[in-house]
Amino acid sequence: MTVPALTTDQMREVDRIMIDDLGVALIQMMENAGRNLAWLAVERFSPATVTVLAGPGGNGGGGLAAARHLANRGIGVTATLVKPVEEMAGISAHQAGILQRMGVVFEEEPQPADLTIDAVLGYSLQGDPRGRAADLIRWANGQPAVVSLDTPSGLDTATGRVGDPCVRANATMTLALPKTGLRKAPGMVGDLYLADISVPPPVYEAFGLKVGDLFAAGPVVPIS
């Protein structure tokens, strides 16, 4: 399937329209992302164990939501955070708190697993990753299988610039529509999938895009 792409600025506007104009809360979109990522992780990789690497922003929140859904399916899940739970805020902190109450283990240092979920950095990245985020990206690149949420961490979604460091994913599940930079770095993105986070097709008409029934076959579709 070939679908149009959005610039980073256009994706920010899609998020604004969803929240401010339609009243779809960020936590709803995050939940959709996490559920779909967990589904893809199981269908594509069939892991018995999963390590989730999560940043403090919305991307990390989606990864933590995926951890919950994977744990509910009986998969051995651990999570490693860019920031300690007590330093997180907003919806990502909410997702982390749920996992704590469920008894999901948070590891200070990530543990090898059948699959690593990269939810460290999202489309708001500017420049190269630094500090703890950079360390987790480098660790991920030594693992046997990695799936990235929305974009490989370290990739500039506007230009396709590969940061130092940048996750080299086996697969990437992007949200709403692909970001323009993803198509400029296929070697980092791996197999590209598109996930439904409940954006109505008319939202894209503000950008002159007609997307049709993208998810007629299901909430996660492979795209070229």
Side-chain angles (χ1 to χ4, degrees):
M1 176 187 295
T2 301
V3 299
L6 293 173
T7 67
T8 301
D9 287 343
Q10 287 173 331
M11 189 61 221
R12 289 192 182 97
E13 179 64 6
V14 168
D15 282 343
R16 188 203 65 76
I17 291 170
M18 290 290 285
I19 295 167
D20 295 342
D21 297 347
L22 296 182
V24 179
L26 179 59
I27 196 168
Q28 292 175 272
M29 292 187 280
M30 188 181 293
E31 183 69 18
N32 289 333
R35 182 188 303 108
N36 288 334
L37 182 58
W39 180 90
L40 178 63
V42 172
E43 293 298 312
R44 173 74 165 73
F45 297 96
S46 302
T49 55
V50 175
T51 286
V52 177
L53 308 179
N59 192 264
L64 295 175
R68 170 163 41 86
H69 287 282
L70 289 167
N72 287 343
R73 296 183 67 161
I75 293 170
V77 180
T78 63
T80 296
L81 306 177
V82 172
K83 289 185 176 182
V85 174
E86 57 270 18
E87 295 182 15
M88 296 176 71
I91 296 172
S92 298
H94 175 77
Q95 297 285 0
I98 294 172
L99 290 180
Q100 286 183 313
R101 291 186 288 275
M102 288 174 59
V104 172
V105 174
F106 285 78
E107 297 282 3
E108 177 67 22
E109 297 302 328
Q111 301 300 304
D114 297 333
L115 176 66
T116 297
I117 287 179
D118 160 36
V120 176
L121 299 168
Y123 67 73
S124 297
L125 172 71
Q126 294 182 335
D128 291 331
R130 293 176 291 178
R132 171 78 161 167
D135 292 341
L136 292 180
I137 289 170
R138 293 188 180 98
W139 182 87
N141 281 337
Q143 303 313 302
V146 180
V147 59
S148 291
L149 177 58
D150 203 28
T151 178
S153 293
L155 182 69
D156 188 314
T157 57
T159 66
R161 176 184 177 273
V162 176
D164 179 19
C166 182
V167 167
R168 183 181 297 274
N170 299 91
T172 298
M173 190 193 81
T174 197
L175 308 173
L177 283 180
K179 316 320 176 272
T180 54
L182 296 178
R183 292 187 168 151
K184 299 176 182 179
M188 309 307 290
V189 170
D191 296 331
L192 185 58
Y193 297 83
L194 183 65
D196 182 14
I197 56 170
S198 75
V199 180
V203 169
Y204 301 118
E205 293 176 3
F207 312 107
L209 300 176
K210 293 187 177 180
V211 300
D213 298 322
L214 288 175
F215 302 107
V220 181
V221 293
I223 59 175
S224 58

